[in-house]
Amino acid sequence: MKTAEPTNADTASYPLTARNRVKRRHDRGFYDHETVHKILDASMMCHVSYVIDGQPYCTPTFFWREGTKLYWHGSSASRMLKNQTAQQRVCLTVAFLDSLVLARCGFNHSADYRAVMAFGNAYLVTDPEEKERAGIAMVDRFFPDRTASLRETTAQEMKATSFIAMEIEEASAKIRAKGVADDDEDYELPIYAERIPVKTVIGAPEPCPRLLPGVERPASLQAYSEGRLLEDALTDAYFLQYPAS
Amino acid sequence: MKTAEPTNADTASYPLTARNRVKRRHDRGFYDHETVHKILDASMMCHVSYVIDGQPYCTPTFFWREGTKLYWHGSSASRMLKNQTAQQRVCLTVAFLDSLVLARCGFNHSADYRAVMAFGNAYLVTDPEEKERAGIAMVDRFFPDRTASLRETTAQEMKATSFIAMEIEEASAKIRAKGVADDDEDYELPIYAERIPVKTVIGAPEPCPRLLPGVERPASLQAYSEGRLLEDALTDAYFLQYPAS
């Protein structure tokens, strides 16, 4: 575990540096914990970038936040994790596509979106207590209190799983949420323009066909109901599990 | 433009190398053009990874495919693009989250997903003809034939836009589509398990409030109708614009 170093946990914003400053469209950039964390906590999947022999890799994976730390996990045998254990630089990105924006010229075609880029050094979680906590959080952050109802994780399974953590050193959020934005004079043209909203929703849950008789869906899964926005379910689950976050 | 080098365009599969081989769960790995391209062509957004001074960056952006080439674009002033113009190594990743999988133990919690990682050298499109074609494709790949109906792009706008291209040197697709997969003995336990489908759909299109009277939604946007899967609309649009692909 990292220990004595100063962290961003006590400040309300991530520091602004050459690395995380939103350069293009800087009016769309945010650095405060509230904005950055809200986007992170609404997502299950992120993309983690890392470098092996000068070649960048970008791997989609699940992650979760604890304070100003991010966690992800995978097989101890995976290339991604083997290369993220020695304080390696990584960039973890989360992005939501909120709409497609069709303007009156090609140049102003755009999208509404919310994205976070977080930078730091990845390290392998070796502290037994932190690893045990991460083993619970990887399930309960998404499905509150579910671990208590599950068959216990074996030592072998725990050994086969690596957890990677990263203290967020720098982060930025970039948000566009304004729909069609044409040049003033273009509004006078007889050209069709629109915003096409996009949303990621939950379908009808499919119980495992091999459930034992009498085993019912627990109330703790109510957040995941058909038609809900996935991000709303994930945000609700997050605050149930981490009420003080 | 890259010219005389051999490309993957004439083969039915991307070559298998140490870089793109799916190591973990190799039964989930695919390298054939058909599987890789189908995932790419169903998506509008990708994550592009690149390296500046040893630090990886992961930027969400729009992209499209032409044969075995991928294109993306952005402001000529952007950090991402400035660092992708000199034959820089990049990894372009597309991922679909198809379901959350709740198993009978923590270790078997998983997800159904489809993902592609594509590797190559990024280069700035400088050939005027290729740049002009890209300027049309960046709109028409998503909204067939739309460019012809738009206010023409100015020379200033074209100058402010950079297009980046990458011949796919290696690519892999990784797919999981099996829902709950518990250890044999765990099926005997009275524990609830399910698959929660996730889908990204189109909302009700919102016409620009400043449309001139009589300007109607063109029939070419019919693919984007409320309730449809975004990936189906994008795939339909792709094959309308690139019927031979």
Side-chain angles (χ1 to χ4, degrees):
Chain A
M1 291 182 71
K2 292 179 87 174
T3 48
E5 293 170 43
T7 72
N8 290 316
D10 305 322
T11 59
S13 277
Y14 290 105
L16 191 56
T17 73
R19 189 172 285 140
N20 69 327
R21 183 189 298 274
V22 173
K23 291 186 184 164
R24 284 291 308 159
R25 309 278 185 161
H26 53 80
D27 54 310
R28 300 182 188 168
F30 300 88
Y31 308 91
D32 60 287
H33 284 190
E34 191 181 345
T35 304
V36 169
H37 294 175
K38 192 175 173 188
I39 293 171
L40 293 173
D41 299 341
S43 186
M44 189 163 194
M45 194 168 73
C46 67
H47 285 70
V48 179
S49 284
Y50 50 102
V51 188
I52 306 176
D53 297 334
Q55 167 70 51
Y57 291 78
C58 178
T59 301
T61 193
F62 289 160
F63 80 106
W64 64 96
R65 178 179 72 86
E66 257 184 29
T68 54
K69 249 188 206 177
L70 301 176
Y71 286 87
W72 57 100
H73 75 290
S75 157
S76 299
S78 90
R79 171 173 57 189
M80 171 177 82
L81 297 189
K82 276 185 179 171
N83 281 280
Q84 290 169 355
T85 55
Q87 294 284 334
Q88 215 211 17
R89 295 300 303 174
V90 302
C91 172
L92 187 152
T93 297
V94 166
F96 290 94
L97 175 62
D98 291 327
S99 80
L100 321 182
V101 171
L102 288 76
R104 292 168 176 81
C105 71
F107 191 73
N108 286 329
H109 275 62
S110 187
D112 288 329
Y113 59 85
R114 288 162 289 153
V116 162
M117 292 172 78
F119 300 94
N121 285 305
Y123 68 94
L124 180 68
V125 175
T126 53
D127 178 85
E129 266 177 54
E130 188 181 11
K131 187 169 181 181
E132 196 183 330
R133 206 172 67 241
I136 295 169
M138 76 171 189
V139 172
D140 288 8
R141 173 268 174 267
F142 302 107
F143 313 111
D145 298 324
R146 180 161 174 82
T147 297
S149 73
L150 298 175
R151 188 264 289 155
E152 223 174 305
T153 300
T154 66
Q156 185 54 37
E157 287 172 340
M158 206 56 173
K159 197 178 157 189
T161 307
S162 286
F163 294 92
I164 304 289
M166 176 185 101
E167 174 71 30
I168 303 175
E169 293 176 7
E170 294 142 2
S172 62
K174 198 171 175 184
I175 300 173
R176 186 195 193 274
K178 61 179 177 184
V180 176
D182 265 310
D183 295 355
D184 278 345
E185 58 272 27
D186 289 349
Y187 286 103
E188 307 303 320
L189 299 170
I191 298 171
Y192 186 77
E194 72 176 9
R195 176 182 178 273
I196 303 178
V198 169
K199 54 188 180 178
T200 297
V201 298
I202 294 167
E206 299 165 3
C208 175
R210 295 174 65 179
L211 286 181
L212 292 193
V215 173
E216 303 285 350
R217 192 177 205 237
S220 59
L221 289 177
Q222 273 170 358
Y224 296 90
S225 57
E226 186 176 2
R228 270 201 101 189
L229 292 181
L230 178 61
E231 63 180 280
D232 287 350
L234 290 168
T235 299
D236 285 358
Y238 190 80
F239 284 102
L240 274 173
Q241 196 65 20
Y242 293 98
S245 276
Chain B
M1 288 183 75
K2 291 180 88 174
T3 49
E5 292 171 42
T7 72
N8 290 314
D10 305 322
T11 58
S13 276
Y14 290 104
L16 191 56
T17 72
R19 189 173 285 139
N20 70 328
R21 183 188 297 276
V22 174
K23 292 186 181 164
R24 285 292 307 159
R25 310 282 186 156
H26 53 81
D27 55 309
R28 300 182 188 168
F30 301 87
Y31 308 90
D32 60 286
H33 284 191
E34 191 182 345
T35 304
V36 168
H37 295 174
K38 191 174 173 189
I39 292 172
L40 293 174
D41 299 340
S43 186
M44 189 163 194
M45 193 169 73
C46 68
H47 285 70
V48 178
S49 284
Y50 51 102
V51 188
I52 306 175
D53 296 335
Q55 167 70 52
Y57 290 78
C58 178
T59 301
T61 194
F62 289 161
F63 81 105
W64 63 97
R65 178 179 73 85
E66 258 185 30
T68 55
K69 248 189 209 179
L70 301 176
Y71 286 89
W72 58 100
H73 76 291
S75 159
S76 298
S78 91
R79 171 172 60 191
M80 171 176 83
L81 297 189
K82 278 187 177 169
N83 281 278
Q84 289 170 356
T85 55
Q87 295 282 336
Q88 215 211 18
R89 296 299 304 172
V90 302
C91 173
L92 186 152
T93 297
V94 166
F96 290 94
L97 175 63
D98 291 327
S99 80
L100 321 184
V101 172
L102 288 76
R104 292 168 176 82
C105 70
F107 191 74
N108 285 330
H109 275 62
S110 187
D112 287 331
Y113 59 86
R114 288 162 291 152
V116 162
M117 291 171 78
F119 300 94
N121 286 306
Y123 68 95
L124 180 69
V125 175
T126 53
D127 179 86
E129 267 178 53
E130 188 180 12
K131 188 169 180 181
E132 195 183 330
R133 207 172 67 242
I136 295 169
M138 78 171 185
V139 172
D140 287 8
R141 173 268 173 269
F142 301 108
F143 312 111
D145 297 324
R146 180 161 174 82
T147 297
S149 73
L150 298 176
R151 188 263 290 156
E152 225 175 304
T153 301
T154 66
Q156 184 54 38
E157 287 172 341
M158 207 54 173
K159 198 178 157 192
T161 307
S162 286
F163 294 92
I164 305 289
M166 176 184 101
E167 175 70 31
I168 303 176
E169 293 177 7
E170 295 143 0
S172 61
K174 198 170 174 185
I175 300 173
R176 184 193 193 275
K178 62 178 175 181
V180 176
D182 265 310
D183 295 355
D184 278 345
E185 58 272 27
D186 289 347
Y187 287 102
E188 308 301 320
L189 299 170
I191 297 171
Y192 186 78
E194 73 177 8
R195 176 182 177 274
I196 303 178
V198 169
K199 54 188 180 176
T200 297
V201 298
I202 293 167
E206 299 164 4
C208 176
R210 295 174 64 178
L211 286 181
L212 292 192
V215 174
E216 303 284 348
R217 192 176 204 240
S220 58
L221 290 177
Q222 273 171 357
Y224 296 89
S225 57
E226 187 177 1
R228 269 200 102 189
L229 291 182
L230 177 62
E231 63 179 280
D232 288 350
L234 290 169
T235 299
D236 285 359
Y238 190 80
F239 285 103
L240 274 173
Q241 195 64 22
Y242 294 98
S245 279

